[in-house]
Amino acid sequence: MSSSDIFIGETIGTAILILLGGGVCAAVTLKASKARNAGWLAIAFGWGFAVMTAVYIAGPLSGAHLNPAVTVALAVKDGEWSNVPTYFAGEFLGAMIGATLVWIAYYGQFQAHLTDKEIVGGPGAQATTAKAVEAQEKGAGPVLGVFSTGPEIRNTVQNLTTEIIGTVVLLLAVLTQGLNDAGNGLGVLGGLVTALVVVSIGLSLGGPTGYAINPARDLGPRIVHALLPLPNKGGSDWAYAWVPVVGPLIGGVLAAGIYNVAFA
């Protein structure tokens, strides 16, 4: 694979991943969305199908890493680091493009949601409603969850550990079941396997932190949230932002180490 193929494949694939994954979060969260309040099951399966779609699109070009933790794990496994910066560039750029497309697709819903007094507070709001309380969560605006993850209980050690554990599960599945014959990305069957693993992680381990398990998936859209002209959008919770970046990277390294010791 050439550097241009890697960059283009990762940019397009990660953009699709975030468009569909962030899209299901927007569909479940935003006012005037037909899927509002569809629940966690919809989100878990939405992200799983997003992974599957993105893998099949990007696989022929780049091997469909779509996740810096996957890129790091494969680099540790094989000792080959030369293409890592190119993968990272495509993954983070694609994540930002995908998050922007979510905003465009749900533009009217974002406007309605963020000008509703029950959501953002203000004169006339019912300050005791769950929505108003949620909107006042320290550091996080009322639509930040459409773009990036956040903890239900803010405990740095637990939050970081949860992200590490989830990413280790993901990467062990990728390394043992999902790689193509060349071992440099996800194969055709691997795309389906990985999608189902992502659904499983979401259902079983997603409750505490929202299961980023992908630094680009979290940081790229968080940057977009900070930059977009969203009314009453609130904060982007930068105090937490390092956890869903560092945790998955640590998880990727640990998974590669486990693979090299136990399976290689």
Side-chain angles (χ1 to χ4, degrees), residues 43-73:
I43 289 174
F45 275 95
W47 273 104
F49 292 142
V51 168
M52 183 177 66
T53 304
V55 165
Y56 289 142
I57 290 171
L61 280 175
S62 66
H65 292 192
L66 313 177
N67 181 343
V70 174
T71 301
V72 166

Side-chain angles (χ1 to χ4, degrees), residues 12 93 95 117 127 145-147 184 220 243 250 258:
I12 294 173
L93 176 60
K117 292 184 183 299
V146 173
F147 294 89
N184 57 9
V243 173
I250 294 173
I258 294 169

Side-chain angles (χ1 to χ4, degrees), residues 8 19 79 106 204 207 237:
I8 293 170
L19 170 60
Y106 281 88
S204 300
D237 198 6

